[in-house]
Amino acid sequence: RTATMKKMIFALTALSVMGLTTTAQAAKVDVCVFDLLGKSGESYQMAQELALAAKGWGADINLVPRQDEAVADNDFKAGKCDAVFMTAMRARQYNKFVGSIDALGGAPSNAIAQRAITFALDKRNAPKMMSNLSGKKYEVAGIAPLGSAFIFVRDKKIDSIEKAAGKKFAVLGYDDAQKIMVQRVGAQAVISDISNFVAKFNNGQVDMVGAPAYAYKPLEIYKGISPNGGMFNFPVLQVTADFIIRPDQFPAGFGQKSRDWFVKNLPKSFNMINRLESSIPAKFKMNLTPEDKTKYQKMLREGRMDMTKRGIYDPAMMSVLKKARCSVDKANFECSL
């Protein structure tokens, strides 16, 4: 009998060891990736690099390209994807702290954005990366910069925010901050989606649009600003993308390994963004006077404080962003406030 029991115990141990090796081999996960250009876009290419690295963290990632961001989000909500890569404006619903990096005027330069993202992803902030929404656990496993959003106008005569009064401005409908801000400057908010907001600008349905340099070529913004338009050379907000996972579908410790990977890739991402920004022809860039810059910074600051009061932005992230701004630009008017 003891021999049979020994055999059984041995068989059970062997089975459990085999079980361990198969799970250690790799957890198969589906990641929905929003990229306007599908598989040929920069976000999708970054996701491919991430999937390669993730093999070393015990995850076998299958990428599902989505050119419609709402579809990517719905697939994630429905459990068709175990993770999603999409803009922070839409991901804010899962994590307000991280989703508030895109606050108006919050990170007015790439250097400031890089500091804020690096700090957010630091392991000291790991608890802030977790959220629980109606019983479901979510974790932010990465933040990728898409660059500053600039305002593009179809007519250079709109050379100040004051002249935006009454003009039509395309805003992303799911971001309340954009709607409120556009209304504050007296412009008309035209509710749009990420898939059509630039098309509306290019075909003249709206007079103004905000977008990062990242979108200039692929979305053909040059069509909308030729021949009489331009771009305010003043960053309104930093556009980021978030990698949101269901931690229970991923190997233990995956989130922090992934966040460290994103931090390591920040310099490369910002080099690309700087390159894209400088590739916009100078003839389209409208430079503001230092007085106007300060005036608009103050206006964005008021807007930011208002949105934080309204519960749109996270107050803890607002102080992170302020620290980042003041560590890069100590002379800024707000640093003594």
Side-chain angles (χ1 to χ4, degrees):
R1 187 185 283 170
T2 47
T4 345
M5 279 191 69
K6 270 184 183 158
K7 269 183 191 160
M8 273 175 70
I9 290 168
F10 178 74
L12 283 169
T13 339
L15 274 171
S16 62
V17 168
M18 273 162 65
L20 282 172
T21 50
T22 48
T23 48
Q25 194 184 355
K28 274 193 165 17
V29 283
D30 291 321
V31 175
C32 277
V33 181
F34 163 64
D35 195 313
L36 283 169
L37 300 181
K39 288 185 173 179
S40 57
E42 302 275 1
S43 291
Y44 189 81
Q45 282 163 21
M46 181 176 201
Q48 283 179 308
E49 290 172 30
L50 172 73
L52 201 64
K55 282 193 167 76
W57 320 325
D60 179 8
I61 290 180
N62 169 46
L63 298 176
V64 184
R66 287 282 178 260
Q67 285 176 268
D68 183 328
E69 194 178 30
V71 172
D73 190 22
N74 290 336
D75 283 354
F76 180 54
K77 282 190 168 77
K80 287 182 196 170
C81 296
D82 306 299
V84 66
F85 193 67
M86 61 182 171
T87 63
M89 285 169 198
R90 208 185 275 270
R92 198 179 291 149
Q93 55 184 315
Y94 300 103
N95 190 303
K96 204 201 283 192
F97 177 71
V98 166
S100 301
I101 289 178
D102 291 37
L104 291 158
S109 76
N110 292 335
I112 293 169
Q114 190 165 344
R115 275 192 189 213
I117 295 170
T118 304
F119 175 78
L121 295 178
D122 187 273
K123 57 180 179 290
R124 285 171 299 179
N125 284 314
K128 284 199 167 82
M129 299 297 115
M130 303 289 187
S131 57
N132 195 323
L133 304 179
S134 49
K136 288 182 179 165
K137 286 200 180 95
Y138 299 100
E139 183 178 357
V140 177
I143 305 166
L146 299 177
S148 295
F150 298 95
I151 293 173
F152 293 89
V153 293
R154 281 183 64 86
D155 189 342
K156 269 200 178 123
K157 287 193 188 118
I158 310 172
D159 58 0
S160 70
I161 297 295
E162 290 74 16
K163 290 187 187 163
K167 297 286 186 283
K168 290 181 178 154
F169 199 120
V171 298
L172 300 174
Y174 49 84
D175 184 19
D176 292 332
Q178 292 184 40
K179 285 183 280 197
I180 295 165
M181 204 62 199
V182 164
Q183 285 155 356
R184 280 181 76 146
V185 298
Q188 266 178 280
V190 177
I191 303 301
S192 313
D193 194 82
I194 201 156
S195 56
N196 67 16
F197 77 120
V198 172
K200 284 185 180 178
F201 176 72
N202 287 350
N203 65 28
Q205 284 173 273
V206 298
D207 309 293
M208 307 171 77
V209 72
Y214 184 89
Y216 184 76
K217 267 194 180 128
L219 298 188
E220 306 182 324
I221 295 177
Y222 50 85
K223 286 185 177 170
I225 58 175
S226 299
N228 303 318
M231 173 192 113
F232 279 105
N233 204 4
F234 175 79
V236 184
L237 55 84
Q238 184 70 217
V239 187
T240 58
D242 293 336
F243 180 38
I244 311 282
I245 67 170
R246 285 206 174 79
D248 47 10
Q249 300 298 312
F250 284 76
F254 176 91
Q256 191 57 53
K257 285 176 184 145
S258 175
R259 291 191 289 273
D260 293 343
W261 182 88
F262 274 86
V263 170
K264 206 172 73 206
N265 278 277
L266 281 176
K268 194 169 95 178
S269 298
F270 279 110
N271 284 341
M272 180 193 78
I273 289 162
N274 289 328
R275 201 172 63 242
L276 291 172
E277 286 178 3
S278 54
S279 73
I280 297 176
K283 64 175 178 182
F284 289 126
K285 291 179 180 168
M286 299 151 68
N287 292 310
L288 303 176
T289 63
E291 297 77 55
D292 270 351
K293 272 186 187 165
T294 304
K295 185 169 73 180
Y296 295 152
Q297 275 173 344
K298 286 183 174 165
M299 188 178 77
L300 291 174
R301 179 174 178 266
E302 280 162 25
R304 208 166 47 241
M305 284 157 70
D306 176 32
M307 309 300 170
T308 309
K309 267 200 202 91
R310 292 178 192 232
I312 296 169
Y313 295 150
D314 178 83
M317 180 50 77
M318 292 311 99
S319 64
V320 168
L321 291 172
K322 182 171 180 176
K323 279 192 190 111
R325 287 193 301 274
C326 292
S327 67
V328 171
D329 177 13
K330 292 181 182 62
N332 194 331
F333 74 94
E334 61 170 342
C335 300
S336 54
L337 301 176

